């Protein structure tokens, strides 16, 4: 039986050479044997992610998750973040063992309880509307609890309680727009690009008054583990974000558009409804989604994923046109 299975990804959204991956995975196998007293039956690289290399590890009577990163700072505060989130009642996995010292092995790692099921991405289309409503309510309730944590000293993505690198939420939106707008300049008209800038200017008063509220930025169609239509737990808390929690709902919408399509939109609408988003906030979520979509276009172009790219591009054009028609 083949010990390792994977899609040949390096955990950063890029293909990696077989030789370097095999050396690394042999090292992981030795680590598991040392910690557990026996070699695992199987280790599967989970390709749905861009920051860490994450493996599902199977022993005869136990399954665990192994998260690794050659940059120790990425995992340095993860255990503390999860301890805080657990104290709020959120269903995060138990930390079995972690070491970010790089003293025994040349990478940081964390061993976690494995929830049964899989990312929402692979379950969503088969779920009933009632199940989607229950799940959306759970996710929104977690965001509400996290929002009760002390406000940040700055804005952006950091461990819980650390100072964010940005001085305002508007600064983050401006940066994200500038960094990724070039991904669509060859695909849309100059008028559409200019209109997107107009839309941003329309929301600047709102953006400037956003407070640094703590929220879980990546509880989208990944990191939400579902089995038979029911939530089992939530994962991946190397950092949180301080800013507008609606950005999470918007990212969920962009991910649904990209990877699933219209079939996944009922879940997005449930998130919006249970958040209590009125018509104006729903438009704002669409604007945020377009900002995310600019980055997604870049991902899809690099991976030559034309199907997803066209879905996201159509979404961007539709939302720009919709806003233009509303204000015309």
């Amino acid at each position: 039986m083949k010990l390792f299975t994977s899609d040949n990804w390096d955990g950063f959204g890029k293909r990696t050479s077989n030789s370097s991956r095999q050396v690394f995975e042999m090292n992981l196998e030795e680590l598991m044997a040392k910690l557990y007293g026996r070699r695992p039956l199987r280790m599967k690289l989970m390709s749905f992610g861009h920051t860490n290399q994450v493996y599902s590890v199977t022993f005869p009577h136990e399954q665990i998750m192994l998260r690794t990163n050659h940059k120790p700072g990425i995992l340095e505060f993860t255990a503390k973040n999860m301890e805080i989130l657990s104290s709020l009642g959120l269903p995060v996995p138990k930390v079995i063992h972690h070491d970010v010292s790089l003293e025994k092995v040349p990478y940081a790692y964390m061993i976690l309880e494995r929830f049964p099921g899989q990312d929402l991405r692979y379950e969503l289309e088969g779920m009933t509307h009632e199940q989607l409503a229950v799940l959306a309510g759970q996710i929104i309730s977690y965001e509400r609890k996290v929002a009760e944590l002390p406000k940040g000293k700055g804005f952006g993505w950091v461990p819980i309680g650390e100072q964010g690198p940005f001085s305002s939420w508007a600064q983050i939106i401006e940066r994200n727009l500038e960094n990724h707008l070039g991904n669509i300049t060859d695909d849309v008209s100059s008028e559409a690009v200019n209109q997107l800038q107009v839309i941003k200017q329309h929301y600047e008063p709102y953006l400037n008054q956003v407070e640094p509220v703590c929220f879980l930025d990546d509880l989208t169609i990944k990191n939400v583990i579902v089995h038979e239509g029911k939530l089992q737990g939530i994962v991946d808390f190397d950092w949180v974000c301080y800013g507008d929690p609606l950005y999470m709902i918007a990212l969920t919408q962009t991910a649904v558009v990209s990877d699933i399509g219209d079939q996944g939109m009922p879940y997005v609408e449930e998130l919006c409804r249970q958040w209590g988003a009125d018509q104006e906030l729903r438009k704002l979520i669409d604007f945020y989604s377009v900002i995310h979509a600019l980055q997604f276009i870049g991902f899809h172009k690099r991976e030559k994923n034309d199907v997803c790219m066209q879905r996201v591009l159509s979404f961007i054009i539709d939302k720009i046109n919709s806003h233009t028609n509303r204000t015309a």
Side-chain angles (χ1 to χ4, degrees):
M1 181 177 65
K2 188 176 181 181
L3 176 63
F4 281 90
T5 59
S6 74
D7 298 321
N8 203 31
W9 291 75
D10 70 352
F12 295 89
K14 302 176 183 177
R15 300 288 174 180
T16 184
S17 67
N18 283 330
S19 59
S20 62
R21 180 168 57 85
Q22 287 171 356
V23 170
F24 178 62
E25 291 180 343
M26 287 175 62
N27 192 298
L28 293 181
E29 181 187 349
E30 292 296 329
L31 174 65
M32 292 294 96
K34 185 175 297 185
L35 292 175
Y36 280 83
R38 64 171 299 161
R39 296 182 184 277
L41 298 176
R42 189 169 73 111
M43 297 182 69
K44 180 180 180 182
L45 177 62
M46 315 301 288
S47 61
F48 203 16
H50 300 284
T51 303
N52 299 292
Q53 290 179 299
V54 182
Y55 289 84
S56 174
V57 183
T58 302
F59 290 98
H61 304 291
E62 183 180 10
Q63 281 192 312
I64 58 170
M65 298 302 295
L66 171 64
R67 306 178 78 230
T68 70
N69 202 300
H70 286 84
K71 298 179 180 179
I74 299 295
L75 295 174
E76 183 177 359
F77 296 96
T78 306
K80 178 182 176 183
N81 290 341
M82 293 172 63
E83 181 180 353
I84 294 171
L85 296 176
S86 178
S87 72
L88 296 176
L90 275 61
V92 300
K94 297 176 182 177
V95 178
I96 299 170
H97 186 74
H98 69 108
D99 185 350
V100 298
S101 68
L102 272 66
E103 294 176 356
K104 297 180 180 179
V105 290
Y107 50 85
Y109 68 89
M110 173 172 285
I111 299 173
L112 300 164
E113 168 191 15
R114 186 187 187 280
F115 293 126
Q118 55 187 343
D119 284 296
L120 176 60
R121 161 69 180 86
Y122 305 107
E123 294 280 329
L124 197 153
E125 292 180 79
M127 294 172 64
T128 67
H129 187 83
E130 180 180 3
Q131 289 172 331
L132 293 176
V134 170
L135 177 61
Q138 291 171 306
I139 297 302
I140 294 301
S141 72
Y142 302 152
E143 292 290 3
R144 297 289 192 197
K145 289 181 180 179
V146 173
E148 295 176 359
L149 291 170
K151 289 185 174 61
K153 303 167 187 176
F155 293 80
W157 292 265
V158 290
I160 295 174
E162 297 295 310
Q163 182 166 348
F166 297 92
S167 60
S168 72
W169 183 245
Q171 188 180 22
I172 289 178
I173 299 303
E174 177 67 26
R175 181 207 64 161
N176 290 352
L177 180 60
E178 288 185 357
N179 285 353
H180 304 297
L181 187 59
N183 291 333
I184 64 166
T185 51
D186 293 335
D187 303 295
V188 303
S189 66
S190 58
E191 289 80 6
V193 172
N194 292 336
Q195 186 57 33
L196 184 54
Q197 294 285 2
V198 171
I199 296 171
K200 181 185 74 72
Q201 292 173 7
H202 170 78
Y203 285 116
E204 281 180 355
Y206 174 91
L207 300 175
N208 285 321
Q209 58 83 41
V210 170
E211 295 183 312
V213 173
C214 186
F215 69 96
L216 306 176
D217 64 293
D218 210 13
L219 290 188
T220 57
I221 57 173
K222 64 177 183 177
N223 302 326
V224 175
I225 309 302
V226 176
H227 180 62
E228 296 183 349
K230 296 181 180 180
L231 178 68
Q232 303 299 308
I234 53 178
V235 299
D236 194 358
F237 303 107
D238 299 328
W239 52 73
V240 295
C241 189
Y242 286 91
D244 190 349
L246 292 177
Y247 214 48
M248 180 279 298
I249 298 178
L251 180 57
T252 304
Q253 176 168 255
T254 304
V256 165
V257 169
S258 169
D259 297 353
I260 299 175
D262 291 342
Q263 303 95 314
M265 286 305 295
Y267 176 62
V268 177
E269 296 305 333
E270 273 299 322
L271 288 173
C272 294
R273 183 182 71 82
Q274 298 205 39
W275 183 267
D278 59 17
Q279 187 176 14
E280 286 304 310
L281 286 183
R282 189 66 184 86
K283 295 174 186 176
L284 173 66
I285 291 169
D286 284 344
F287 168 66
Y288 282 163
S289 290
V290 169
I291 300 297
H292 289 303
L294 298 176
Q295 186 174 18
F296 273 57
I297 289 287
F299 293 151
H300 295 323
K301 284 186 173 181
R302 287 193 293 274
E303 292 301 321
K304 295 180 171 53
N305 189 335
D306 292 336
V307 173
C308 290
M309 186 187 76
Q310 288 302 321
R311 275 205 298 254
V312 176
L313 186 60
S314 296
F315 172 81
I316 292 172
I317 295 171
D318 177 66
K319 294 307 176 185
I320 291 176
N321 289 339
S322 295
H323 192 278
T324 302
N325 292 337
R326 286 197 301 266
T327 57

